[in-house]
Structure formats: C-alpha cells, structure tokens
Amino acid sequence: MRTIQNKPEVLAPAGTLEKLKVAIDYGADAVYIGGDAYGLRTRAGNFSFDQMREGVAYAHARHAKVYVAANIVAHEGDTAGAGRFFQTLREIGIDAVIVSDPALIEIAILEAPGLPVHLSTQASAANYETLNFWQSEGLERVVLAREVGIEEIKEMRRHTDVQIEAFIHGAMCIGYSGRCVLSNHMSMRDANRGGCAQNCRWKYDLFEMPTAGQREEETDAKTPFTMSAVDMAMIEHIPDLIEAGVNSFKIEGRMKSIHYVSTVANVYRQAVDSYCADPEHYQLDPAWVDELWKVAQREMSTGFYYGTPTADDELFGKRRKRPSYAFVGEVMAYDPAKKLATIRQRNNFGVGDQIEFYGPHFTHHTETLTQLWDEDYDILLRAPDAMMICKVPVTQPVKPGDMLRRANQLV
C-alpha cells in the first residue's frame, strides 16, 4: 500500500494567542502570526514579544511551528529597527519569518542569520525561475502567488526543490496577490502597509455615463455589487495539491474567530491525514464539506487553480448559501459524575436550542439543551451575557477545549 512520506503541513492563521493554541489543538502543524510591526494586518490581535514567547513554547511542546508575517511593502523609514526585530524573533525561537520586501529580506538574512525566511504571497512568485532565484538568495520556502494554477505548480516542482506553500482556504483578495491600491485611493489607508479598509467588500452601483458628467441610466438599486471574490476552498482537491508537490497548505484568516480556526484546521487535518495514509483508497468525506459550511464565510470556489475565475467566483446579488450554525461557546470543564459541562458563553443560547459539541480529531455529538444554570447554579432560560460562565447537562462526555454551535435555519 502506497503512503505519502512527505506529508504537507497544515498551516493555520493565529490572530491572537488564544487562536494560536486553538489552531494547534485542532490539528495545525504550524501557525502564522503578526508582530507589532512590519505586518499587513494592523487590526488583527498582533503579538507582543512576550506573547510570542508563550506561543512558541506552547507550539514547540506540541511539535508545531510558529511563523511571523513581516510582509509589508516598505516605504522610506519603514525598515528602521527591522534588524533588531528579526534578531528578537530568532532569540524567541520563531521558526520562520514571512517577508515580501527585498530590503526586509536582506535585513533578515544579514542581521539575523539562522532565522529562516519565507517569501510572502505579496511578492507574486508565479514561475519556477522566480522560485529558484529566491532559493539562491537564501530563502527556504516560497508562498505562491494566488493566481497560480495546479499545472503551473507541477511544472515548478519539476524544476525546483524549494518548499512550496499555497493558499487552500479562506478569503481571497481581489488585487493581484493582495497588492491593492483601492484602500489607498478611497480611504487614505495603505493596504500594502497594513491598513486595508476592504473597499472591495463595499456595496456599489453601476451608472452609464456616455457624456462626461451626465448620468444616463442607473442599475436596479436592489442588486448592488462588490469588487469582491468569494472564498477559496480546496477541500475537494486535496489529492491534486499533494501530488502537485505543495509542501504547506495555508489557511487564510488571522482576523477570523476561534470557531473558524478550529473548524477549518480540524477539517483539513482529517483530509490530509486520510489521503497520506492511503492514497489509493482515499475518498472525500462529505462531512468535511458540510463542516466548512458551519462557519461564517462567503460562497466558495477553487480560485485560479483550475482556470481563470468567472462571475460565479465573485460576489453579486444575494448570497447563494449561508452558514448553518452559530458559535455559542467553549467547554471549560467536565464533571463525569454529574455529566455536567462548564461553558464559557460566546453567543446567546438557551434551553430548547439544538447544540452541537465538536472537538479535535473531528469528534461531534448533538444535544437538545434541557437545562441551564449560571456558575452559582441559579436556573437560567438563556445565557445572554458575553463570556459568562454557565453549566449544562450533557449525555456524552466532552473535554475542555471542545466547542459549541447552535443550529440555525439554513437559507
């Protein structure tokens, strides 16, 4: 029986220390985070050096890795202090830094030798000559441009042995490899320096103006459009990615919730492990696809992997499908004698709701909530207060770190 020896890495986003721990607990081999400088997600919960130390200790104790994104397009003055920043990352034990700007790459290599450098997708690497160039400069991994197709990846692998990382799930920028100037133009916030206002997600209307300054015809105001792509999901094509030679499967979403991070990491962990264990008998589990629809997201497509996206891969008109569950809490403790779970609330839920518990290794079970107490055992009908501690009876064992969802009506 053939097995895959070089199993690809499942790489999850971690916008906070909590998300880092959740991602690893739910199956990620590695996480990528941001620091207080040089990254493209200034509004994410970026890490202080002390938080990085705690995150690295947590990850390394569980045989996982931590990468830091420092992928801005640097303007004059932006590189000040970068050498010391990279040196500190090396001292903390960060496993690699993800960089796009050549000046920052050079600073990392020269001033923090021994710190592995990965090329960011912002650099738009889309051919094997480019991959070989960056490898010759000392980089060990390249995150491919998001516009690269499966056949192109196969060609790259035939001509290079540099590690290849590729996005396989999450929100996709409408700009070429994320290099967009809409935010700069419309909001005075530089997307390439961490300030993206996500203008492509705004609602727009179309007007016909054959004569300058004269508005002739207006589209139906009930059908506004965006310049926004749907989300990527390659769950149905794991064999193609592995056989093409992708070494790291990257999930987008450093600003997403622990519900998203835990669910998506859990799904791709199962798919990768299943294929690598027995490629000949691998089958897509429909439950994996259903699971991805339990988290908040847009419609899903395969991006550029199998051809140029069409209008179906952009957001026009009404949503074609909506998430089927709402995240409502996490298990803090379980009393097996009383069959009682202690829950930290994350969203309103209460008696009569159908609640799904899920955990690492793709464990699931469903309960109809019959009783609810606060932490002092006062009876409740609903748990309305954010982060409140409450207790619920369960018919099956649960574990600290398991999550709770409330079933919604699927639209």
Side-chain angles (χ1 to χ4, degrees):
M1 180 178 70
R2 183 170 76 97
T3 59
I4 303 296
Q5 298 301 315
N6 297 315
K7 183 185 294 187
E9 170 186 87
V10 175
L11 175 57
T16 65
L17 187 57
E18 178 189 35
K19 294 173 189 176
L20 178 150
K21 294 177 179 179
V22 166
I24 292 169
D25 290 346
Y26 277 77
D29 299 298
V31 296
Y32 61 101
I33 67 175
D36 290 333
Y38 312 110
L40 285 179
R41 288 291 182 268
T42 56
R43 290 179 295 160
N46 292 313
F47 285 58
S48 67
F49 289 139
D50 285 342
Q51 290 173 323
M52 287 185 190
R53 290 185 182 92
E54 183 177 346
V56 166
Y58 190 90
H60 289 180
R62 291 157 181 80
H63 309 290
K65 296 181 178 181
V66 180
Y67 309 139
V68 171
N71 51 350
I72 64 166
V73 175
H75 288 232
E76 289 298 335
D78 286 345
T79 62
R84 184 58 194 150
F85 178 79
F86 292 133
Q87 290 166 9
T88 304
L89 297 188
R90 182 187 60 188
E91 293 163 6
I92 288 170
I94 293 297
D95 295 283
V97 61
I98 307 167
V99 191
S100 64
D101 191 284
L104 288 172
I105 290 172
E106 184 175 47
I107 290 170
I109 291 172
L110 295 179
E111 299 194 33
L115 176 66
V117 179
H118 297 173
L119 187 74
S120 169
T121 190
Q122 306 294 128
S124 302
N127 61 77
Y128 71 80
E129 291 93 340
T130 297
L131 271 62
N132 284 331
F133 167 79
W134 286 113
Q135 186 178 36
S136 71
E137 292 295 304
L139 277 63
E140 66 175 33
R141 179 183 294 185
V142 171
V143 187
L144 296 182
R146 295 171 182 174
E147 296 74 29
V148 171
I150 284 286
E151 294 304 317
E152 291 178 300
I153 296 175
K154 292 178 181 178
E155 185 69 8
M156 292 175 186
R157 180 48 71 216
R158 283 192 284 267
H159 291 88
T160 183
D161 61 359
V162 71
Q163 293 179 29
I164 291 175
E165 182 178 307
F167 280 93
I168 52 91
H169 193 93
M172 292 292 104
C173 181
I174 201 70
Y176 197 97
S177 288
R179 296 182 300 174
C180 178
V181 295
L182 277 178
S183 183
N184 306 53
H185 177 68
M186 300 174 71
S187 310
M188 299 297 290
R189 286 167 50 178
D190 192 339
N192 298 303
R193 297 164 81 187
C196 182
Q198 297 198 7
N199 307 66
C200 63
R201 306 290 189 191
W202 297 358
K203 300 294 184 181
Y204 295 90
D205 204 353
L206 278 177
F207 301 94
E208 183 180 352
M209 300 178 69
T211 303
Q214 184 177 14
R215 182 178 296 176
E216 291 285 332
E217 182 177 326
E218 184 176 342
T219 61
D220 183 353
K222 295 181 181 180
T223 58
F225 73 97
T226 71
M227 290 178 277
S228 180
V230 301
D231 288 357
M232 175 180 286
M234 287 292 287
I235 187 60
E236 298 183 39
H237 306 280
I238 294 300
D240 287 355
L241 291 165
I242 294 176
E243 297 299 337
V246 177
N247 302 103
S248 180
F249 289 179
K250 189 166 195 172
I251 299 164
E252 181 277 337
R254 278 198 287 139
M255 297 178 69
K256 300 286 183 68
S257 68
I258 60 171
H259 182 210
Y260 171 91
V261 170
S262 59
T263 299
V264 178
N266 216 358
V267 167
Y268 282 96
R269 173 81 281 142
Q270 298 305 306
V272 168
D273 287 352
S274 179
Y275 183 78
C276 290
D278 189 1
E280 280 78 14
H281 297 95
Y282 172 84
Q283 288 187 325
L284 173 74
D285 187 341
W288 300 337
V289 180
D290 293 341
E291 187 80 358
L292 294 176
W293 275 111
K294 294 177 181 179
V295 294
Q297 61 192 333
R298 305 166 187 90
E299 292 82 14
M300 296 187 285
S301 83
T302 56
F304 285 82
Y305 279 114
Y306 299 101
T308 302
T310 68
D312 290 336
D313 301 302
E314 296 187 41
L315 294 174
F316 292 110
K318 291 183 178 180
R319 291 185 61 135
R320 297 182 284 266
K321 191 174 181 179
R322 294 182 182 274
S324 56
Y325 283 75
F327 177 50
V328 296
E330 58 189 313
V331 176
M332 306 303 295
Y334 171 65
D335 185 336
K338 297 180 180 179
K339 294 186 177 180
L340 204 64
T342 301
I343 307 299
R344 177 186 287 141
Q345 187 258 36
R346 294 298 185 111
N347 207 340
N348 190 305
F349 72 98
V351 174
D353 288 344
Q354 185 182 55
I355 301 294
E356 180 185 64
F357 289 79
Y358 73 95
H361 310 293
F362 215 64
T363 61
H364 296 76
H365 86 272
T366 301
E367 308 260 356
T368 298
L369 196 61
T370 58
Q371 293 176 286
L372 178 65
W373 302 272
D374 67 15
E375 59 184 326
D376 297 319
Y377 289 94
D378 292 327
I379 296 174
L380 299 172
L381 290 179
R382 307 293 301 176
D385 301 326
M387 304 298 283
M388 70 181 293
I389 303 299
C390 51
K391 298 178 184 294
V392 301
V394 290
T395 61
Q396 298 183 37
V398 293
K399 302 181 298 298
D402 286 356
M403 307 286 180
L404 292 76
R405 304 182 177 114
R406 183 187 69 237
N408 292 333
Q409 181 67 38
L410 186 62
V411 179

